[in-house]
Amino acid sequence: MPITLYELAAADPEIRFSPYCWRTRFALAHKGLSPETVPWRFTEAERLAFSGQGRVPVLVDGETVVSDSWQIALYLDRAYPDLPRLLPEGGAAHALFVNAWADQILQAGIARLIVADIWQALRPEDQPYFRASREKLFRKTLEAVVEGREERVVEFRRSLLPLRGVLAHQPWLGGEAPDYADYIVLGSFQWPRCISRFALLDDSDPVRQWRDRGYALFDGLGASARTV
Ligand SMILES: N[C@@H](CCC(=O)N[C@@H](CS)C(=O)NCC(=O)O)C(=O)O
């Protein structure tokens, strides 16, 4: 039975831009599994009722339904122990730190640079929900959030120093080969790449070079994604 993955889509259903869904897409590819993907929009929480919550990614594998990208990664290693591991035996604790850093620091920094671009790319019927929920979160308009981004991006790039530091020692966050830690952060960068034209990374940045190597994996899974 095929694996089904519910993914966040823009107005163009081929634009899949959720950082969390990308983590799962890379994770499945690492395992050599190709899911059937189903586009899902912000105002369709009821379509996910079967999963007991309202966010994507949601993975359906036979009788098993798993939501939350981290839980999905753990599930895939548990359910498919003979396929290449996503998290090294005993190494999940370190990747959990990377997960929390990506969710709370890296993606918060990216959101402050591109959140208005997301609104632009949504279907008109999804825009009011997105604007209202995000403006409540930021306590200002989406346009005010991204104001001054050409200057502020310098500070964002500086915040990637720990990532640059690790990549100076090893080609991947996973060491000699990519693992789920790489897919977490690649997912974070795939989000702005798919939904915004804002240049987040400098061409000469080693983070950019690692990112592009990551997008070339699995026959260019990341590189070939539809973008705005
Ligand atoms: N911790 C969850 C976060 C999932 C999440 O927040 N997904 C977003 C899409 S990027 C979502 O479904 N948002 C629905 C909403 O904002 O209403 C994970 O790692 O999967």
Side-chain angles (χ1 to χ4, degrees):
M1 197 182 286
I3 292 178
T4 304
L5 178 65
Y6 286 76
E7 289 188 314
L8 182 64
D12 176 345
E14 292 311 311
I15 297 182
R16 308 292 171 90
F17 65 97
S18 157
Y20 307 105
C21 296
W22 272 104
R23 292 176 196 182
T24 300
R25 278 295 284 284
F26 287 124
L28 286 163
H30 180 94
K31 289 269 182 205
L33 300 169
S34 24
E36 240 166 44
T37 66
V38 179
W40 175 88
R41 266 60 174 246
F42 279 118
T43 53
E44 299 179 323
E46 80 289 345
R47 278 182 63 209
L48 302 177
F50 67 91
S51 71
Q53 53 87 61
R55 288 173 179 261
V56 289
V58 173
L59 184 98
V60 183
D61 186 10
E63 297 294 300
T64 307
V65 176
V66 194
S67 57
D68 187 276
S69 56
W70 178 255
Q71 293 306 325
I72 293 172
L74 297 179
Y75 165 77
L76 290 174
D77 268 349
R78 231 180 16 249
Y80 299 96
D82 298 334
L83 298 178
R85 289 193 66 89
L86 287 162
L87 295 155
E89 206 91 55
H94 292 158
L96 187 56
F97 172 81
V98 176
N99 208 65
W101 173 75
D103 287 3
Q104 291 155 33
I105 303 293
L106 177 62
Q107 289 178 193
I110 295 174
R112 284 192 285 271
L113 299 168
I114 62 135
V115 71
D117 301 335
I118 302 176
W119 179 82
Q120 296 250 354
L122 299 179
R123 295 184 310 185
E125 60 264 51
D126 300 318
Q127 285 177 329
Y129 164 78
F130 184 80
R131 179 175 285 280
S133 57
R134 272 47 180 187
E135 290 187 348
K136 190 168 168 207
L137 203 68
F138 286 106
R139 298 206 193 112
K140 46 173 120 160
T141 64
L142 300 183
E143 291 70 22
V145 175
V146 300
E147 210 173 277
R149 64 180 176 177
E150 280 75 13
E151 293 78 49
R152 287 190 293 108
V153 71
V154 175
E155 184 195 326
F156 169 78
R157 290 175 183 159
R158 210 174 296 132
S159 79
L160 302 176
L161 203 63
L163 201 49
R164 241 168 254 129
V166 173
L167 295 172
H169 286 282
Q170 55 196 52
W172 300 99
L173 300 182
E176 288 307 308
D179 72 5
Y180 192 63
D182 291 274
Y183 307 139
I184 294 167
V185 185
L186 285 170
S188 299
F189 282 112
Q190 184 73 322
W191 167 43
R193 181 175 168 274
C194 289
I195 206 72
S196 166
R197 294 201 186 92
F198 184 67
L200 207 61
L201 298 171
D202 215 296
D203 284 353
S204 61
D205 190 335
V207 172
R208 164 84 194 238
Q209 288 146 24
W210 159 84
R211 191 203 74 167
D212 290 349
R213 275 189 286 121
Y215 291 165
L217 294 169
F218 318 121
D219 294 325
L221 175 67
S224 61
R226 176 85 62 95
T227 63
V228 286

